[in-house]
Short mmCIF file of all heavy atoms in Angstrom, two decimals:
data_model
loop_
_atom_site.label_atom_id
_atom_site.label_comp_id
_atom_site.label_asym_id
_atom_site.label_seq_id
_atom_site.Cartn_x
_atom_site.Cartn_y
_atom_site.Cartn_z
N PRO W 1 -29.01 7.23 17.23
CA PRO W 1 -30.45 7.19 17.05
C PRO W 1 -30.89 7.81 15.73
O PRO W 1 -30.45 8.90 15.37
CB PRO W 1 -30.98 8.00 18.23
CG PRO W 1 -29.94 7.83 19.28
CD PRO W 1 -28.63 7.83 18.52
N GLY W 2 -31.74 7.09 15.00
CA GLY W 2 -32.23 7.59 13.73
C GLY W 2 -31.28 7.46 12.56
O GLY W 2 -31.60 7.91 11.46
N LYS W 3 -30.12 6.86 12.78
CA LYS W 3 -29.14 6.71 11.72
C LYS W 3 -28.82 5.24 11.47
O LYS W 3 -29.08 4.38 12.31
CB LYS W 3 -27.85 7.46 12.08
CG LYS W 3 -28.01 8.97 12.15
CD LYS W 3 -26.68 9.64 12.40
CE LYS W 3 -26.82 11.15 12.40
NZ LYS W 3 -27.24 11.65 11.07
N GLU W 4 -28.25 4.97 10.31
CA GLU W 4 -27.84 3.62 9.97
C GLU W 4 -26.56 3.25 10.71
O GLU W 4 -25.76 4.12 11.08
CB GLU W 4 -27.61 3.50 8.46
CG GLU W 4 -28.85 3.73 7.62
CD GLU W 4 -29.88 2.65 7.82
OE1 GLU W 4 -29.50 1.47 7.96
OE2 GLU W 4 -31.08 2.98 7.85
N ARG W 5 -26.37 1.97 10.91
CA ARG W 5 -25.14 1.50 11.50
C ARG W 5 -23.98 1.75 10.54
O ARG W 5 -24.08 1.43 9.35
CB ARG W 5 -25.25 0.01 11.83
CG ARG W 5 -24.09 -0.54 12.63
CD ARG W 5 -24.42 -1.92 13.20
NE ARG W 5 -25.57 -1.85 14.10
CZ ARG W 5 -26.00 -2.87 14.83
NH1 ARG W 5 -25.37 -4.04 14.78
NH2 ARG W 5 -27.06 -2.72 15.60
N GLU W 6 -22.90 2.33 11.04
CA GLU W 6 -21.79 2.68 10.17
C GLU W 6 -20.49 2.06 10.64
O GLU W 6 -20.25 1.85 11.83
CB GLU W 6 -21.64 4.20 10.08
CG GLU W 6 -21.21 4.87 11.36
CD GLU W 6 -20.90 6.35 11.17
OE1 GLU W 6 -20.78 6.80 10.01
OE2 GLU W 6 -20.78 7.06 12.19
N PHE W 7 -19.63 1.80 9.68
CA PHE W 7 -18.32 1.23 9.93
C PHE W 7 -17.42 2.22 10.63
O PHE W 7 -17.42 3.41 10.31
CB PHE W 7 -17.70 0.81 8.59
CG PHE W 7 -16.26 0.40 8.68
CD1 PHE W 7 -15.92 -0.85 9.12
CD2 PHE W 7 -15.26 1.28 8.30
CE1 PHE W 7 -14.59 -1.24 9.18
CE2 PHE W 7 -13.93 0.91 8.35
CZ PHE W 7 -13.60 -0.35 8.80
N VAL W 8 -16.64 1.74 11.59
CA VAL W 8 -15.67 2.57 12.29
C VAL W 8 -14.24 2.12 12.00
O VAL W 8 -13.41 2.90 11.55
CB VAL W 8 -15.92 2.56 13.81
CG1 VAL W 8 -14.85 3.39 14.53
CG2 VAL W 8 -17.31 3.10 14.12
N ALA W 9 -13.96 0.84 12.26
CA ALA W 9 -12.60 0.33 12.07
C ALA W 9 -12.63 -1.18 12.01
O ALA W 9 -13.53 -1.83 12.55
CB ALA W 9 -11.68 0.79 13.19
N SER W 10 -11.63 -1.77 11.36
CA SER W 10 -11.51 -3.22 11.29
C SER W 10 -10.07 -3.64 11.51
O SER W 10 -9.14 -2.84 11.37
CB SER W 10 -12.01 -3.75 9.94
OG SER W 10 -11.16 -3.33 8.89
N ILE W 11 -9.90 -4.91 11.85
CA ILE W 11 -8.57 -5.47 12.04
C ILE W 11 -8.59 -6.91 11.55
O ILE W 11 -9.56 -7.64 11.75
CB ILE W 11 -8.14 -5.37 13.52
CG1 ILE W 11 -6.67 -5.78 13.69
CG2 ILE W 11 -9.06 -6.19 14.41
CD1 ILE W 11 -6.09 -5.39 15.04
N SER W 12 -7.51 -7.31 10.89
CA SER W 12 -7.45 -8.63 10.29
C SER W 12 -7.29 -9.72 11.35
O SER W 12 -7.04 -9.45 12.53
CB SER W 12 -6.30 -8.70 9.29
OG SER W 12 -5.06 -8.54 9.94
N ARG W 13 -7.41 -10.97 10.90
CA ARG W 13 -7.36 -12.11 11.81
C ARG W 13 -6.10 -12.14 12.68
O ARG W 13 -6.16 -12.49 13.86
CB ARG W 13 -7.46 -13.42 11.02
CG ARG W 13 -8.80 -13.63 10.33
CD ARG W 13 -8.87 -15.01 9.67
NE ARG W 13 -7.86 -15.18 8.64
CZ ARG W 13 -7.98 -14.75 7.40
NH1 ARG W 13 -9.08 -14.10 7.02
NH2 ARG W 13 -7.00 -14.96 6.52
N THR W 14 -4.98 -11.77 12.09
CA THR W 14 -3.71 -11.79 12.81
C THR W 14 -3.28 -10.42 13.32
O THR W 14 -2.20 -10.29 13.89
CB THR W 14 -2.60 -12.37 11.93
OG1 THR W 14 -2.48 -11.58 10.75
CG2 THR W 14 -2.92 -13.81 11.54
N GLY W 15 -4.10 -9.41 13.09
CA GLY W 15 -3.78 -8.08 13.55
C GLY W 15 -2.85 -7.30 12.65
O GLY W 15 -2.43 -6.20 13.01
N ASP W 16 -2.51 -7.84 11.49
CA ASP W 16 -1.55 -7.21 10.59
C ASP W 16 -2.13 -6.06 9.79
O ASP W 16 -1.39 -5.15 9.40
CB ASP W 16 -0.98 -8.25 9.63
CG ASP W 16 -0.17 -9.31 10.32
OD1 ASP W 16 0.44 -9.02 11.36
OD2 ASP W 16 -0.15 -10.46 9.82
N GLY W 17 -3.42 -6.09 9.51
CA GLY W 17 -4.04 -5.07 8.70
C GLY W 17 -5.18 -4.38 9.41
O GLY W 17 -6.00 -5.02 10.06
N THR W 18 -5.22 -3.06 9.28
CA THR W 18 -6.30 -2.28 9.88
C THR W 18 -6.88 -1.32 8.86
O THR W 18 -6.22 -0.95 7.89
CB THR W 18 -5.81 -1.48 11.10
OG1 THR W 18 -4.75 -0.61 10.71
CG2 THR W 18 -5.31 -2.41 12.19
N SER W 19 -8.12 -0.92 9.09
CA SER W 19 -8.79 0.02 8.22
C SER W 19 -9.68 0.91 9.07
O SER W 19 -10.25 0.45 10.06
CB SER W 19 -9.62 -0.72 7.16
OG SER W 19 -10.24 0.18 6.27
N PHE W 20 -9.81 2.18 8.66
CA PHE W 20 -10.57 3.15 9.44
C PHE W 20 -11.51 3.95 8.56
O PHE W 20 -11.19 4.26 7.41
CB PHE W 20 -9.63 4.11 10.17
CG PHE W 20 -8.68 3.45 11.10
CD1 PHE W 20 -7.43 3.05 10.67
CD2 PHE W 20 -9.04 3.21 12.42
CE1 PHE W 20 -6.55 2.43 11.53
CE2 PHE W 20 -8.16 2.59 13.29
CZ PHE W 20 -6.91 2.19 12.85
N ALA W 21 -12.64 4.30 9.12
CA ALA W 21 -13.54 5.21 8.44
C ALA W 21 -12.89 6.60 8.37
O ALA W 21 -12.13 6.99 9.26
CB ALA W 21 -14.87 5.31 9.18
N ASN W 22 -13.19 7.33 7.30
CA ASN W 22 -12.60 8.66 7.13
C ASN W 22 -12.92 9.58 8.31
O ASN W 22 -12.09 10.42 8.68
CB ASN W 22 -13.10 9.30 5.84
CG ASN W 22 -12.53 8.63 4.61
OD1 ASN W 22 -11.47 8.02 4.65
ND2 ASN W 22 -13.24 8.74 3.50
N SER W 23 -14.07 9.41 8.90
CA SER W 23 -14.49 10.29 9.98
C SER W 23 -13.67 10.13 11.26
O SER W 23 -13.71 11.01 12.12
CB SER W 23 -15.98 10.06 10.29
OG SER W 23 -16.20 8.72 10.69
N VAL W 24 -12.94 9.03 11.38
CA VAL W 24 -12.19 8.78 12.61
C VAL W 24 -10.69 8.61 12.38
O VAL W 24 -9.95 8.43 13.36
CB VAL W 24 -12.72 7.54 13.35
CG1 VAL W 24 -14.19 7.73 13.72
CG2 VAL W 24 -12.54 6.28 12.50
N LYS W 25 -10.24 8.68 11.15
CA LYS W 25 -8.82 8.52 10.87
C LYS W 25 -8.00 9.53 11.66
O LYS W 25 -8.31 10.71 11.70
CB LYS W 25 -8.54 8.68 9.38
CG LYS W 25 -8.93 7.47 8.55
CD LYS W 25 -8.56 7.68 7.09
CE LYS W 25 -8.90 6.45 6.26
NZ LYS W 25 -8.58 6.66 4.83
N GLY W 26 -6.95 9.03 12.28
CA GLY W 26 -6.09 9.88 13.08
C GLY W 26 -6.53 10.03 14.51
O GLY W 26 -5.76 10.55 15.34
N ARG W 27 -7.74 9.60 14.85
CA ARG W 27 -8.26 9.75 16.20
C ARG W 27 -8.55 8.41 16.87
O ARG W 27 -8.85 8.40 18.07
CB ARG W 27 -9.55 10.56 16.19
CG ARG W 27 -9.40 11.95 15.61
CD ARG W 27 -10.65 12.79 15.87
NE ARG W 27 -11.83 12.24 15.22
CZ ARG W 27 -12.90 11.79 15.87
NH1 ARG W 27 -12.93 11.81 17.20
NH2 ARG W 27 -13.93 11.32 15.20
N ILE W 28 -8.47 7.33 16.14
CA ILE W 28 -8.86 6.02 16.66
C ILE W 28 -7.78 4.98 16.41
O ILE W 28 -7.14 4.97 15.37
CB ILE W 28 -10.19 5.59 16.04
CG1 ILE W 28 -11.34 6.34 16.70
CG2 ILE W 28 -10.40 4.08 16.15
CD1 ILE W 28 -12.71 5.92 16.23
N GLY W 29 -7.62 4.10 17.37
CA GLY W 29 -6.75 2.96 17.21
C GLY W 29 -7.53 1.68 17.47
O GLY W 29 -8.38 1.64 18.36
N ILE W 30 -7.26 0.66 16.68
CA ILE W 30 -7.89 -0.64 16.88
C ILE W 30 -6.79 -1.67 17.09
O ILE W 30 -5.75 -1.63 16.42
CB ILE W 30 -8.80 -1.03 15.70
CG1 ILE W 30 -9.57 -2.31 16.01
CG2 ILE W 30 -8.01 -1.15 14.40
CD1 ILE W 30 -10.68 -2.61 14.99
N SER W 31 -7.01 -2.58 18.02
CA SER W 31 -6.01 -3.60 18.30
C SER W 31 -6.70 -4.83 18.87
O SER W 31 -7.88 -4.80 19.22
CB SER W 31 -4.95 -3.08 19.28
OG SER W 31 -5.53 -2.71 20.52
N ARG W 32 -5.95 -5.92 18.96
CA ARG W 32 -6.48 -7.15 19.54
C ARG W 32 -5.36 -7.86 20.26
O ARG W 32 -4.19 -7.74 19.91
CB ARG W 32 -7.10 -8.04 18.46
CG ARG W 32 -6.11 -8.57 17.44
CD ARG W 32 -6.82 -9.13 16.19
NE ARG W 32 -7.76 -10.18 16.54
CZ ARG W 32 -8.68 -10.67 15.70
NH1 ARG W 32 -8.79 -10.18 14.48
NH2 ARG W 32 -9.50 -11.63 16.11
N ASP W 33 -5.72 -8.63 21.27
CA ASP W 33 -4.72 -9.43 21.95
C ASP W 33 -4.60 -10.79 21.27
O ASP W 33 -5.16 -11.01 20.20
CB ASP W 33 -5.00 -9.54 23.46
CG ASP W 33 -6.24 -10.35 23.80
OD1 ASP W 33 -6.81 -11.02 22.92
OD2 ASP W 33 -6.64 -10.32 24.98
N TYR W 34 -3.90 -11.70 21.88
CA TYR W 34 -3.63 -12.99 21.24
C TYR W 34 -4.66 -14.06 21.57
O TYR W 34 -4.47 -15.22 21.21
CB TYR W 34 -2.24 -13.47 21.62
CG TYR W 34 -1.15 -12.52 21.18
CD1 TYR W 34 -0.33 -11.91 22.11
CD2 TYR W 34 -0.97 -12.23 19.84
CE1 TYR W 34 0.66 -11.02 21.71
CE2 TYR W 34 0.02 -11.35 19.43
CZ TYR W 34 0.82 -10.74 20.37
OH TYR W 34 1.80 -9.87 19.96
N GLU W 35 -5.74 -13.66 22.21
CA GLU W 35 -6.78 -14.62 22.57
C GLU W 35 -8.17 -14.14 22.19
O GLU W 35 -8.64 -14.39 21.08
CB GLU W 35 -6.70 -14.95 24.06
CG GLU W 35 -5.60 -15.94 24.42
CD GLU W 35 -5.88 -17.34 23.90
OE1 GLU W 35 -7.06 -17.68 23.67
OE2 GLU W 35 -4.92 -18.11 23.71
N LYS W 36 -8.84 -13.42 23.10
CA LYS W 36 -10.27 -13.18 22.96
C LYS W 36 -10.70 -11.72 22.89
O LYS W 36 -11.88 -11.46 22.70
CB LYS W 36 -11.02 -13.82 24.14
CG LYS W 36 -10.81 -15.31 24.31
CD LYS W 36 -11.57 -15.80 25.54
CE LYS W 36 -11.43 -17.30 25.71
NZ LYS W 36 -12.17 -17.76 26.93
N THR W 37 -9.78 -10.78 23.05
CA THR W 37 -10.18 -9.41 23.26
C THR W 37 -9.83 -8.47 22.12
O THR W 37 -8.72 -8.50 21.59
CB THR W 37 -9.58 -8.87 24.57
OG1 THR W 37 -9.90 -9.77 25.63
CG2 THR W 37 -10.17 -7.51 24.90
N LEU W 38 -10.78 -7.63 21.77
CA LEU W 38 -10.63 -6.58 20.77
C LEU W 38 -10.75 -5.23 21.47
O LEU W 38 -11.56 -5.08 22.38
CB LEU W 38 -11.73 -6.72 19.71
CG LEU W 38 -11.84 -5.62 18.66
CD1 LEU W 38 -10.68 -5.74 17.67
CD2 LEU W 38 -13.18 -5.71 17.94
N TYR W 39 -9.97 -4.24 21.02
CA TYR W 39 -9.98 -2.92 21.64
C TYR W 39 -10.23 -1.83 20.61
O TYR W 39 -9.89 -1.97 19.44
CB TYR W 39 -8.63 -2.63 22.31
CG TYR W 39 -8.25 -3.61 23.38
CD1 TYR W 39 -7.42 -4.68 23.09
CD2 TYR W 39 -8.70 -3.45 24.69
CE1 TYR W 39 -7.06 -5.58 24.07
CE2 TYR W 39 -8.34 -4.35 25.67
CZ TYR W 39 -7.52 -5.41 25.36
OH TYR W 39 -7.17 -6.31 26.34
N LEU W 40 -10.81 -0.75 21.07
CA LEU W 40 -10.95 0.45 20.27
C LEU W 40 -10.59 1.64 21.14
O LEU W 40 -11.25 1.88 22.16
CB LEU W 40 -12.38 0.60 19.74
CG LEU W 40 -12.61 1.77 18.78
CD1 LEU W 40 -11.93 1.50 17.45
CD2 LEU W 40 -14.11 2.02 18.57
N ASP W 41 -9.55 2.36 20.77
CA ASP W 41 -9.12 3.55 21.50
C ASP W 41 -9.66 4.78 20.79
O ASP W 41 -9.31 5.04 19.63
CB ASP W 41 -7.60 3.61 21.59
CG ASP W 41 -7.04 2.54 22.49
OD1 ASP W 41 -7.44 2.48 23.66
OD2 ASP W 41 -6.19 1.75 22.02
N LEU W 42 -10.50 5.51 21.48
CA LEU W 42 -11.14 6.70 20.94
C LEU W 42 -10.47 7.93 21.53
O LEU W 42 -10.38 8.07 22.75
CB LEU W 42 -12.63 6.72 21.29
CG LEU W 42 -13.44 5.51 20.83
CD1 LEU W 42 -14.80 5.51 21.52
CD2 LEU W 42 -13.62 5.54 19.33
N ASN W 43 -10.01 8.83 20.68
CA ASN W 43 -9.29 10.02 21.11
C ASN W 43 -9.90 11.28 20.50
O ASN W 43 -10.51 11.23 19.44
CB ASN W 43 -7.82 9.93 20.73
CG ASN W 43 -7.14 8.71 21.29
OD1 ASN W 43 -7.01 8.56 22.50
ND2 ASN W 43 -6.71 7.81 20.40
#
């Protein structure tokens, strides 16, 4: 609330490349399955 939307993490079309915001590096995992689902693991 009251803040701009910010980037957290991304994953490439084939899942080969990922990128993370500095604020979450080391605490977050991003993954996708082979069909329709994207995941974000927050630790």
Side-chain angles (χ1 to χ4, degrees):
K3 295 184 177 295
E4 297 293 322
R5 188 166 299 187
E6 67 173 347
F7 171 79
V8 177
S10 67
I11 188 166
S12 64
R13 294 185 298 278
T14 59
D16 295 329
T18 58
S19 182
F20 301 91
N22 290 335
S23 60
V24 300
K25 284 183 178 178
R27 301 191 297 116
I28 283 184
I30 187 170
S31 61
R32 65 195 302 167
D33 68 10
Y34 300 118
E35 282 291 336
K36 302 178 178 180
T37 308
L38 173 73
Y39 301 95
L40 185 70
D41 291 304
L42 303 167
N43 303 295

